Amino acid sequence: MAFNNKNIFQKIFYREPHKHREPAFRYFFLIRIIPCLFAVNIFFIFYSCLQAEPARSEFTLGTLCSVNLYEQGNNDVYKEIFDRIREIENLMSVNIPSSDISLINAAAGIAPVKVHEETFNVIKNAVYYARLSDGAFDPSIGPIVSLWGIGNDEPRHEQLTHVPGREEIEKLLPLVNWHFIRLYEDTSSVFFIHEGMALDLGAIAKGYAADEAAKIIERAGIKRALIDLGGNIIVAGVKKDRKPWRVGVQSPDKARGETIGYLQITTLTAEQEESLPVKTIVTSGTYERFFEENGIRYHHIFDPSLGYPVQNGIISVTVIADVSMDADALSTAAFVLGYERGSALVESITGTEAVFVFDDKSIRQTSGANFILTDKTYNIKY
Ligand code: AMP
Ligand code: MG
């Protein structure tokens, strides 16, 4: 039997001419079916509004950046955050030729460069931490970072897999000195007094970007969030169960995400509830970027007085603070200073703590850090 498509089609979509519907059927259709369809529609519209957008990760600032807005996850807020992070990258990355930093570097020894106010403020903070750390943190480390080629994801030179010659390092070392940076507040201008000098904000800019992301989250009325810009973490708000946040400390010798323990972070105090309470946890670690030669790990955190990666037994320093830009600068500074001077510096700043992990698998922490060890191959020293 031939299948009559036309008939089926007509049955479904065409009202048969001259044939009146039963009044009871019409009543049923108008009073029951239409309101039901309407209600189902409204339900789906509401349901889709209530559905939170999941956490978002994007590659920016030379690293993987993730933001989780939990139950208030919202496309517009995620977009605003990542647009803002890219804006900061475009101003402060040494790898972007039009950035403020590249312009300052190109004009080193020639002329001051007027920069955006926020770039100026981050540089001012970097210089503040250079002074505070007695030059252990030095934003003029640029020439050494470029020479080794392990500080950036997109090095201007070929990625080095060997140690540069001592003469090359010694030729550049005199150019690494934060005292040679001139800051002109009235015109937001920055000047390097010697040609060949170069700024590198790699140890502080991610922290600044995380702080800016947290501001957007607060303005959007988000109550709880987690920001992770390649290890620069901010926890914002209070967890649903009102328990402290648990932030893992990366295991130096295992895959990313595997931890040796965690920090218990309390964001809530009674008087803080008005604004969005935040805490930041920032780690500087040798395992972030490195290469190995003759059994020695050459990583991306340099001793500005030597021009070599710091070799002082530290594998990572994690700093806990209120402002991520401060924690970022401090974690790098404390790493270079070593445990004695680094922990003294951190202890001298109220509300700031640190956890040091050493290559002999020992761990030390400042007096108020709340580190819980889970990997028993490590041991906490008091
Ligand atoms: P962080 O991971 O925050 O410790 O920053 C490391 C990055 O900061 C490196 O990739 C370099 O770009 C830069 N850097 C390395 N050593 C220093 C230093 N002693 N002071 C300031 N910046 C540094
Ligand atoms: Mg840092």
Side-chain angles (χ1 to χ4, degrees), residues 136-139 141 145 151-152 200 202-203 284 289 300-302 304 328 332 336:
F137 176 96
D138 192 330
I141 196 78
V145 173
N152 305 302
D200 183 320
S284 288
R289 291 165 204 170
H300 67 139
I301 303 165
F302 297 96
D328 197 359
T332 312
V336 180

Side-chain angles (χ1 to χ4, degrees), residues 140-156:
S140 70
I141 196 78
I144 292 293
V145 173
S146 305
L147 177 67
W148 284 81
I150 42 178
N152 305 302
D153 288 272
E154 301 163 67
R156 283 149 291 171

Side-chain angles (χ1 to χ4, degrees), residues 123-381:
I123 298 173
K124 210 165 101 179
N125 268 288
V127 170
Y128 169 81
Y129 279 103
R131 185 175 293 113
L132 193 72
S133 66
D134 208 10
F137 176 96
D138 192 330
S140 70
I141 196 78
I144 292 293
V145 173
S146 305
L147 177 67
W148 284 81
I150 42 178
N152 305 302
D153 288 272
E154 301 163 67
R156 283 149 291 171
H157 304 288
E158 280 289 290
Q159 188 86 18
L160 282 187
T161 46
H162 66 274
V163 180
R166 186 170 288 275
E167 330 72 60
E168 282 181 281
I169 293 171
E170 265 156 25
K171 209 167 74 200
L172 294 178
L173 261 190
L175 297 171
V176 178
N177 191 336
W178 62 274
H179 290 99
F180 298 154
I181 306 173
R182 296 282 176 272
L183 297 175
Y184 305 106
E185 190 103 43
D186 50 340
T187 51
S188 323
S189 304
V190 183
F191 181 44
F192 268 136
I193 60 175
H194 297 299
E195 201 186 323
M197 291 184 72
L199 262 181
D200 183 320
L201 298 181
I204 192 168
K206 270 191 290 203
Y208 174 70
D211 291 328
E212 290 300 296
K215 279 189 200 162
I216 293 172
I217 288 168
E218 176 161 28
R219 249 186 280 127
I222 307 279
K223 295 282 171 265
R224 184 183 357 268
L226 178 74
I227 303 164
D228 181 355
L229 309 187
N232 269 75
I233 291 172
I234 288 186
V235 289
V238 179
K239 276 184 34 195
K240 244 184 184 164
D241 57 10
R242 299 183 85 77
K243 286 188 179 153
W245 292 85
R246 282 182 175 197
V247 178
V249 172
Q250 172 66 38
S251 170
D253 29 45
K254 293 203 184 130
R256 196 163 282 264
E258 300 242 17
T259 58
I260 54 170
Y262 60 89
L263 285 152
Q264 299 214 85
I265 307 290
T266 307
T267 37
L268 181 74
T269 58
E271 64 281 1
Q272 264 183 332
E273 271 192 275
E274 286 262 302
S275 60
L276 186 71
V278 299
K279 277 275 175 195
T280 183
I281 301 95
V282 178
T283 300
S284 288
T286 60
Y287 48 81
E288 295 283 343
R289 291 165 204 170
F290 65 90
F291 69 84
E292 275 171 3
E293 192 177 287
N294 299 329
I296 300 175
R297 177 177 288 193
Y298 295 96
H299 58 85
H300 67 139
I301 303 165
F302 297 96
D303 183 332
S305 65
L306 301 175
Y308 281 83
V310 178
Q311 307 282 359
N312 59 7
I314 295 179
I315 289 193
S316 73
V317 179
T318 299
V319 169
I320 306 108
D322 294 328
V323 178
S324 204
M325 177 163 59
D326 295 340
D328 197 359
L330 276 173
S331 67
T332 312
F335 193 111
V336 180
L337 286 170
Y339 175 69
E340 299 297 334
R341 292 173 69 204
S343 60
L345 173 64
V346 171
E347 292 275 15
S348 74
I349 303 167
T350 320
T352 305
E353 305 294 341
V355 178
F356 293 73
V357 179
F358 298 89
D359 55 11
D360 65 356
K361 295 207 150 188
S362 64
I363 294 166
R364 288 175 185 270
Q365 52 184 321
T366 54
S367 52
N370 208 349
F371 177 73
I372 313 291
L373 182 68
T374 52
D375 182 339
K376 301 300 180 202
T377 65
Y378 284 77
N379 62 88
I380 297 183
K381 281 197 176 154

